[in-house]
Amino acid sequence: MVEPGSGASALRDELHQRGLRMTPQRQLVLDAVRDLGHATPEQICTRVQRSAPAVNITTVYRTLDLLERIGVVRHTHLGHGAPSYSADDHQHVHLVCHDCGTVAEVPTELMGGLAEQLRAAEGFQLDVTHVALSGRCRDCTETEASR
Amino acid sequence: MVEPGSGASALRDELHQRGLRMTPQRQLVLDAVRDLGHATPEQICTRVQRSAPAVNITTVYRTLDLLERIGVVRHTHLGHGAPSYSADDHQHVHLVCHDCGTVAEVPTELMGGLAEQLRAAEGFQLDVTHVALSGRCRDCTETEASR
DNA sequence: GTCGTTGCAAAACGTTTGCACACCG
DNA sequence: CGGTGTGCAAACGTTTTGCAACGAC
């Protein structure tokens, strides 16, 4: 478990620089995101409510938005359903199996070649972490093949 | 505009082979998907209702599901909001700009190298069309740079 | 004290479900 | 005529909004 409140003054400074305020809720949401690795707003809310039951899910949504704008968290779309939030430094590419739903994580370096191609061919700056790649995982491929 | 009802008997055969029935709604939804290139269920419904106002959005959802199961349409998640449906033969990779929202289409061949790497390294069979890649388009990159 | 932030309730959005009726084969 | 497919209404899960009260600075 990540040390609760670690970087509290860093967050405070980051907020104050932009005329925003430090609140317990903001610290709790950030702690929850770091703790959970990657999680949906709903899961983050549940976690926050373990220590502060009154915190509303609306606040979680608004806080995640804000934390994303100031660059301390990011979110990834894993396909269907709710997006998954994680700390900004927790970067990798997600592989979602559309048969069993498993989510694997691979190093962002794997996308380097593609990113370079897209930049050269289309002038498009790829954000490698925002996408979840979809396909069929090894297990499901083998199961399918043996049928 | 795609010729309305083109491949009507092909669809009929495909359905009958599986014990399913041909209906005007199914033809209209397929025509709409082909016409629109790629569109959300909502947009497809509006298009269908131009010629058949009584068709319900529920039917559009159910029909898109069915057409996808029999392999004549596919859907792509462009990030936020509703998925985008297109004809199965209309395949390419989507690039979504997270600044201006523009969706560009690039040939699937660009993903060949990545698909190969993922197969070799992870045993993961990439479905190149199901994902939309996210990033910043050329226009937004240039605008950003000149600020 | 100011004004950014929160909680609550309600609305918005995209999608699914239950059910009676319609219509394809 | 049997059973699949449809329309309608209502429920659902997720996210956003309006607004009065709260609390950081």
Side-chain angles (χ1 to χ4, degrees), chain A residues 33-48:
Chain A
V33 170
R34 287 182 172 149
D35 255 25
L36 294 169
H38 55 87
T40 64
E42 186 86 38
Q43 293 169 325
I44 292 163
C45 188
T46 301
R47 178 61 157 246
V48 168

Side-chain angles (χ1 to χ4, degrees), chain B:
Chain B
M1 168 132 144
V2 177
E3 188 187 344
S6 62
S9 53
L11 176 57
R12 181 180 297 271
D13 291 351
E14 198 63 46
L15 290 167
H16 285 187
Q17 258 177 354
R18 303 169 197 242
L20 303 170
R21 293 173 183 172
M22 178 59 161
T23 68
Q25 289 90 334
R26 288 175 178 176
Q27 188 61 56
L28 287 167
V29 169
L30 179 52
D31 289 346
V33 170
R34 287 181 172 150
D35 256 26
L36 295 169
H38 55 86
T40 63
E42 187 87 38
Q43 294 170 323
I44 292 163
C45 188
T46 301
R47 178 61 157 248
V48 167
Q49 289 176 339
R50 289 211 318 215
S51 45
V55 172
N56 197 276
I57 189 152
T58 303
T59 300
V60 173
Y61 277 107
R62 286 191 283 224
T63 303
L64 287 171
D65 250 37
L66 181 145
L67 294 178
E68 187 155 34
R69 281 202 305 279
I70 69 177
V72 304
V73 307
R74 58 173 61 243
H75 78 267
T76 304
H77 296 278
L78 296 182
H80 312 76
S84 183
Y85 284 80
S86 57
D88 184 63
D89 49 20
H90 182 77
Q91 287 201 214
H92 35 234
V93 175
H94 295 88
L95 305 179
V96 181
C97 175
H98 50 41
D99 283 1
C100 68
T102 302
V103 179
E105 301 179 343
V106 298
T108 57
E109 287 74 38
L110 265 174
M111 303 283 279
L114 176 65
E116 178 56 32
Q117 278 187 293
L118 289 176
R119 201 179 56 70
E122 306 285 328
F124 188 85
Q125 284 201 303
L126 181 62
D127 174 0
V128 294
T129 68
H130 194 72
V131 271
L133 300 177
S134 181
R136 183 179 281 162
C137 71
R138 189 194 305 272
D139 288 356
C140 287
T141 300
E142 286 167 2
T143 304
E144 173 74 16
S146 68
R147 269 195 292 180

Side-chain angles (χ1 to χ4, degrees), chain A residues 97-147:
Chain A
C97 176
H98 50 42
D99 284 2
C100 67
T102 302
V103 179
E105 301 179 343
V106 298
T108 56
E109 287 74 38
L110 266 174
M111 303 284 278
L114 176 66
E116 178 57 31
Q117 279 186 293
L118 289 176
R119 200 178 57 68
E122 306 285 328
F124 188 85
Q125 284 203 302
L126 181 63
D127 174 0
V128 295
T129 68
H130 193 72
V131 272
L133 299 178
S134 181
R136 184 178 280 162
C137 71
R138 190 194 305 270
D139 287 356
C140 287
T141 300
E142 284 166 4
T143 306
E144 173 73 15
S146 68
R147 271 196 292 181

Side-chain angles (χ1 to χ4, degrees), chain A residues 16-143:
Chain A
H16 284 187
Q17 256 176 0
R18 303 169 197 241
L20 302 170
R21 291 174 185 172
M22 179 60 161
T23 67
Q25 288 91 333
R26 289 177 176 173
Q27 188 62 55
L28 287 167
V29 169
L30 179 52
D31 288 347
V33 170
R34 287 182 172 149
D35 255 25
L36 294 169
H38 55 87
T40 64
E42 186 86 38
Q43 293 169 325
I44 292 163
C45 188
T46 301
R47 178 61 157 246
V48 168
Q49 289 175 342
R50 289 210 322 217
S51 44
V55 173
N56 196 275
I57 189 150
T58 302
T59 301
V60 173
Y61 277 106
R62 287 191 282 224
T63 303
L64 287 171
D65 248 41
L66 182 146
L67 293 178
E68 187 155 34
R69 280 201 305 279
I70 69 176
V72 302
V73 308
R74 57 174 59 243
H75 78 268
T76 304
H77 295 279
L78 296 182
H80 313 75
S84 182
Y85 284 81
S86 57
D88 185 61
D89 49 20
H90 182 76
Q91 288 200 212
H92 35 234
V93 175
H94 294 88
L95 306 179
V96 182
C97 176
H98 50 42
D99 284 2
C100 67
T102 302
V103 179
E105 301 179 343
V106 298
T108 56
E109 287 74 38
L110 266 174
M111 303 284 278
L114 176 66
E116 178 57 31
Q117 279 186 293
L118 289 176
R119 200 178 57 68
E122 306 285 328
F124 188 85
Q125 284 203 302
L126 181 63
D127 174 0
V128 295
T129 68
H130 193 72
V131 272
L133 299 178
S134 181
R136 184 178 280 162
C137 71
R138 190 194 305 270
D139 287 356
C140 287
T141 300
E142 284 166 4
T143 306

